[in-house]
Amino acid sequence: ITSMSCLLIVVGLLVGGLIKVIGEEPPVLDSQLFFLCLLPPIILDAGYFLPIRPFTENVGTILVFAVIGTLWNAFFMGGLLYALCQIESVGLSGVDLLACLLFGSIVSAVDPVAVLAVFEEIHINELVHILVFGESLLNDAVTVVLYNLFEEFSKVGTVTVLDVFLGVVCFFVVSLGGVLVGAIYGFLAAFTSRFTSHTRVIEPLFVFLYSYMAYLSSEMFHLSGIMALIACGVVMRPYVEANISHKSYTTIKYFLKMWSSVSETLIFIFLGVSTVAGPHAWNWTFVITTVILCLVSRVLGVIGLTFIINKFRIVKLTKKDQFIVAYGGLRGAIAFSLGYLLSNSHQMRNLFLTAIITVIFFTVFVQGMTIRPLVELLAVKKKKESKPSINEEIHTEFLDHLLTGVEGVCGHYGHYHWKEKLNRFNKTYVKRWLIAGENFKEPELIAFYRKMELKQAIMMVESGQLPSVLPSTISMQNIQPRAIPRVSKKREEEIRRILRANLQNNKQKVSSNKGIWLKLNV
């Protein structure tokens, strides 16, 4: 895929050149087309199929990279580029600090489209993948807020302490507001899917419709549309999949994949065409310095933040992980579209666009094409190709419950305790309203086992290991629990006696452990 994205850009360059040769005006990657048509399918696909467990376990690290890392990149690049412009020989003495900070905010953010295109191919381990991918999704709010702030400051010309305070408030409003809007539409989509059992054909339509409405609503109120799409996909998926049919699930899965692939293809082709279309203003010193500063700021930011993060993490980020996270900070079409949004009256617009395109080409062609050989050379841990079995999934769930119990005995309310509280609230109140039928009353372990069994059966059918007639006979409603083998009365009493004795022993051990723990605390 890395070579494919580069090939698509080259195709775009050739198409743009051919159009220009015959005397026509090449079409450019219009910002409205990009943000309203091409970007939403890619983000929805990423949000709907987001691996929840690794994301939530590393959400603190992801937020540090997305927020503090992006701020560092923006101010570091903007400040040094302003210092460069003060040198008379460069010929850019008219550029002020706010314009440089505006440019730094545009090129500082890691692009989710480019990251998806590269990291899906190299099969990097789950930790590094979710860190870079999560950062590329969540830094949208920081980039948009910085861009709007510096653009407004450039027009006004002065910045006060109140403006800075309002900027911080604006960041929280944009990001959390987008999440809230997405969650509301996600619950609406889940609630609607309760009543579609008689019209299965429209089930996928509701998923796409509510997701796009969440994105448009957020953009209309100047909130983060990307955050809204991610929140909407994450919230509605577990409830929607419990209500819809297998055919609708397959339609949603493959249509989203196809839709996002088509959007990625068009984005990279448009990038090539827009490069030929111009207009450009070339300044060797400014452009080359921008590329170098992108690399330097990324490396320094990752090393510095990881040094702090590793003090709080149980699983530390190794030097190899840090290198891949730093090297995988690719820029893409979002930076180009933000640059294209600059008003034509902006004195540095053409130079900024030229520098942005150069940075995108460098990251996609050089970093994107060399990251796989570097991963092989450094022997970085790869992702497991085999899917976890039902047995592994159930044991993972069992360990979560066990660790929740350990936290309760120790009196420490950590990650697993609050996760259990959320799951209990979800099961008691939310599922009752959002899941149709009697599925929400099912014991948790049995429901989990059924879900895993159905998932594995669908995967076997799709891979050709089972007859294709099987999917039509499988649904969440008609999978019956396995028959329990009959046991004699004598054997049943013996089992009860053993279990009662074990339970009494466990209670005694827990009470003695609590007494020891209290004595140690006193």
Side-chain angles (χ1 to χ4, degrees):
I1 296 178
T2 55
S3 55
M4 183 61 71
S5 57
C6 298
L7 179 63
L8 291 172
I9 292 177
V10 172
V11 169
L13 290 170
L14 293 174
V15 170
L18 185 63
I19 293 173
K20 203 141 191 175
V21 165
I22 62 176
E24 297 292 330
E25 192 67 31
V28 295
L29 182 58
D30 182 65
S31 297
Q32 297 296 324
L33 171 68
F34 174 75
F35 282 110
L36 295 181
C37 301
L38 299 180
L39 185 62
I42 299 170
I43 302 302
L44 177 59
D45 177 49
Y48 192 81
F49 297 105
L50 185 72
I52 299 297
R53 187 183 182 90
F55 182 82
T56 52
E57 287 177 351
N58 297 286
V59 68
T61 306
I62 291 169
L63 284 172
V64 169
F65 281 130
V67 178
I68 301 176
T70 305
L71 288 172
W72 157 259
N73 289 338
F75 284 98
F76 179 82
M77 291 188 62
L80 289 183
L81 285 173
Y82 174 70
L84 174 74
C85 293
Q86 301 312 300
I87 302 173
E88 290 187 9
S89 57
V90 177
L92 297 172
S93 55
V95 183
D96 60 354
L97 177 60
L98 288 174
C100 289
L101 289 173
L102 174 63
F103 176 72
S105 67
I106 293 173
V107 295
S108 63
V110 178
D111 186 75
V113 181
V115 168
L116 273 172
V118 171
F119 275 70
E120 285 293 326
E121 172 68 14
I122 61 176
H123 301 292
I124 199 68
N125 67 77
E126 200 171 46
L127 173 61
V128 176
H129 183 270
I130 200 66
L131 288 182
V132 182
F133 177 53
E135 178 195 355
S136 69
L137 289 176
L138 300 188
N139 65 14
D140 165 68
V142 185
T143 306
V144 170
V145 170
L146 286 177
Y147 176 84
N148 290 330
L149 282 178
F150 289 133
E151 191 176 30
E152 290 298 322
F153 291 161
S154 297
K155 294 175 183 176
V156 176
T158 57
V159 182
T160 63
V161 177
L162 179 62
D163 293 330
V164 175
F165 173 75
L166 291 175
V168 175
V169 173
C170 185
F171 161 70
F172 286 104
V173 171
V174 168
S175 55
L176 298 180
V179 171
L180 180 63
V181 170
I184 290 171
Y185 276 101
F187 284 124
L188 282 174
F191 186 72
T192 306
S193 68
R194 283 194 61 175
F195 310 102
T196 57
S197 56
H198 300 295
T199 50
R200 295 293 191 188
V201 71
I202 65 171
E203 286 174 336
L205 180 63
F206 277 116
V207 172
F208 305 137
L209 180 65
Y210 277 111
S211 303
Y212 197 58
M213 284 172 64
Y215 182 80
L216 290 180
S217 301
S218 297
E219 290 295 323
M220 186 172 63
F221 292 105
H222 300 286
L223 303 174
S224 174
I226 289 180
M227 299 288 282
L229 269 180
I230 296 165
C232 184
V234 168
V235 166
M236 72 176 165
R237 185 186 178 188
Y239 309 111
V240 166
E241 288 188 356
N243 292 328
I244 64 176
S245 65
H246 166 62
K247 287 182 178 178
S248 297
Y249 167 78
T250 307
T251 302
I252 291 169
K253 179 180 177 182
Y254 288 105
F255 186 78
L256 268 182
K257 295 293 180 188
M258 181 204 70
W259 200 9
S260 64
S261 297
V262 170
S263 294
E264 283 181 18
T265 301
L266 291 174
I267 285 170
F268 285 118
I269 290 177
F270 265 119
L271 269 175
V273 174
S274 301
T275 303
V276 175
H280 299 292
W282 191 264
N283 185 302
W284 277 101
T285 310
F286 186 85
V287 172
I288 300 299
T289 306
T290 300
V291 174
I292 294 170
L293 287 179
C294 275
L295 291 172
V296 172
S297 65
R298 179 71 181 172
V299 171
L300 292 177
V302 169
I303 292 173
L305 291 175
T306 307
F307 177 76
I308 300 169
I309 290 167
N310 275 346
K311 294 182 181 297
F312 303 96
R313 285 184 62 92
I314 297 172
V315 180
K316 311 294 184 187
L317 293 175
T318 64
K319 299 292 184 186
K320 292 178 182 178
D321 293 338
Q322 293 178 46
F323 175 79
I324 298 301
V325 170
Y327 202 74
L330 308 178
R331 274 67 168 179
I334 287 182
F336 177 81
S337 296
L338 288 174
Y340 198 80
L341 277 174
L342 289 172
S343 61
N344 291 322
S345 59
H346 198 286
Q347 58 175 343
M348 301 299 295
R349 182 177 184 271
N350 294 343
L351 177 60
F352 285 174
L353 275 174
T354 304
I356 290 167
I357 290 172
T358 307
V359 169
I360 294 170
F361 277 35
F362 180 83
T363 55
V364 172
F365 280 90
V366 179
Q367 291 177 233
M369 294 191 72
T370 57
I371 192 168
R372 185 170 186 172
L374 286 171
V375 167
E376 301 286 349
L377 182 66
L378 296 172
V380 179
K381 186 180 175 185
K382 294 288 195 72
K383 182 171 63 175
K384 276 176 64 179
E385 292 300 324
S386 59
K387 297 285 183 182
S389 64
I390 295 176
N391 189 30
E392 289 174 333
E393 293 275 8
I394 289 178
H395 274 79
T396 303
E397 192 79 5
F398 168 72
L399 285 172
D400 284 351
H401 288 292
L402 182 64
L403 289 168
T404 304
V406 170
E407 286 184 349
V409 171
C410 296
H412 170 71
Y413 299 132
H415 169 75
Y416 293 98
H417 171 81
W418 295 112
K419 182 181 175 184
E420 180 68 21
K421 288 278 188 187
L422 184 62
N423 286 338
R424 192 171 298 174
F425 176 81
N426 182 39
K427 183 181 177 182
T428 308
Y429 301 105
V430 182
K431 282 186 175 181
R432 185 182 301 275
W433 292 99
L434 300 184
I435 295 181
E438 299 295 315
N439 291 342
F440 67 89
K441 293 182 179 179
E442 201 170 42
E444 192 172 349
L445 190 61
I446 296 173
F448 183 76
Y449 179 76
R450 285 191 185 186
K451 182 182 176 183
M452 290 298 104
E453 197 173 45
L454 177 64
K455 189 177 177 182
Q456 195 170 57
I458 292 171
M459 285 170 56
M460 291 175 72
V461 171
E462 290 176 348
S463 62
Q465 297 177 29
L466 287 178
S468 59
V469 72
L470 185 62
S472 62
T473 64
I474 297 178
S475 72
M476 291 299 291
Q477 287 76 24
N478 62 21
I479 291 183
Q480 299 299 325
R482 297 192 173 190
I484 300 173
R486 295 183 178 275
V487 294
S488 64
K489 288 286 183 185
K490 184 179 178 182
R491 181 62 177 162
E492 187 178 337
E493 285 301 321
E494 187 181 347
I495 291 171
R496 286 180 185 275
R497 183 174 53 78
I498 293 169
L499 289 174
R500 199 177 294 115
N502 286 340
L503 182 61
Q504 189 64 29
N505 290 335
N506 287 335
K507 281 185 177 179
Q508 289 175 358
K509 287 178 182 177
V510 168
S511 61
S512 63
N513 286 339
K514 265 192 171 177
I516 293 168
W517 180 257
L518 288 171
K519 286 178 183 178
L520 288 172
N521 281 338
V522 172

